[in-house]
Structures are given as structure tokens and as C-alpha cells.
Amino acid sequence: MYFQEMKQAASALDGKFFYSVVSRLATLERQSKNSTGAYQAMFESVLETKSIQQLSYTEARFGTKGTMQDLSDDAKYLLHGKHFDQFMRENTHYASMPKPVVKTDARAFEEWLKSNKPSMVV
């Protein structure tokens, strides 16, 4: 029960994202012990160079909903950091955000220019 024990250790730490990933893996492990073998190998490999404390500092992956469908991406992000797919997901999210409405006209620009011209360096 590798992830069950890790879940207990994660509950003592402050890392919510780490606890979320390990908790989902523990649930998966409870359902079928063979289904988490690949994840266990990934964790063991990473834990040779990093501590559980370091993993607990990892911020939540942008765009994750904390579901079992996101488990693979979340585990990869937790263990290895941001990958290209996460970078593209963030770019798509930022591109879909509403753009601020900025109203400018020539008169407003002239007034701004008059007030800021002395401090401008050309």
C-alpha cells in the first residue's frame, strides 16, 4: 500500500496539490493494486533525488480540476515540473481571457503627453 502510506505522510505536510495527487493515487491503488505500478516507479525514481518535503511545495497545476481524468497530467507535473502541454494549456487559457476595454482618443493622448513630456527621455 505504497500510496496509502504516502497519503498519511502528505497529510502531515502543507502541500495541497501534493496531497490531492497522492490521495487520488491511493484511491486508485485501493481499487486495483496493479493499476498504480507505473506511478509507483515514477515516484520512486523522483524520490531518489527529491524529498517528499520538496514535492509538497509544488503549486497546483494551472487548469487542473483535481479529477481522476487529470491524474496522469497532475502526477507528471508534480514530479517533473511544467511540460510543453501545460505551457500550451496556460497560453490557451490566457488567450481566452477577456481583454480589458481601453478607451483612448487623440485629446486624452495630447493631455497625457503634455503632462508627461518633461519627464520623458528621448
Side-chain angles (χ1 to χ4, degrees), residues 17-111:
F17 182 62
F18 177 62
Y19 181 79
S20 169
V21 171
V22 172
S23 177
R24 286 181 277 161
L25 285 167
T27 302
L28 191 63
E29 185 179 46
R30 229 180 295 120
Q31 293 170 354
S32 171
K33 292 181 183 180
N34 297 332
S35 61
T36 57
Y39 290 113
Q40 183 174 345
M42 285 172 40
F43 268 81
E44 288 173 349
S45 170
V46 169
L47 287 173
E48 289 177 0
T49 58
K50 293 182 181 179
S51 69
I52 290 178
Q53 186 87 21
Q54 288 174 308
L55 292 178
S56 72
Y57 294 140
T58 305
E59 292 291 324
R61 184 175 68 89
F62 190 80
T64 186
K65 294 177 180 61
T67 62
M68 291 304 260
Q69 288 79 14
D70 290 338
L71 179 60
S72 177
D73 289 338
D74 288 347
K76 183 168 64 169
Y77 181 77
L78 174 68
L79 298 175
H80 303 293
K82 189 182 294 189
H83 287 271
F84 184 70
D85 57 340
Q86 175 66 17
F87 175 73
M88 292 305 295
R89 194 176 295 118
E90 288 178 9
N91 283 343
T92 303
H93 174 76
Y94 289 129
S96 69
M97 290 176 71
K99 308 294 185 273
V101 177
V102 178
K103 295 182 180 179
T104 58
D105 57 4
R107 179 142 177 89
F109 177 71
E110 287 173 4
E111 289 176 16

Side-chain angles (χ1 to χ4, degrees), residues 4-15 18-20 22 52:
Q4 295 293 333
E5 293 172 8
M6 191 174 288
K7 181 180 174 183
Q8 291 174 347
S11 67
L13 299 171
D14 195 29
F18 177 62
Y19 181 79
S20 169
V22 172
I52 290 178

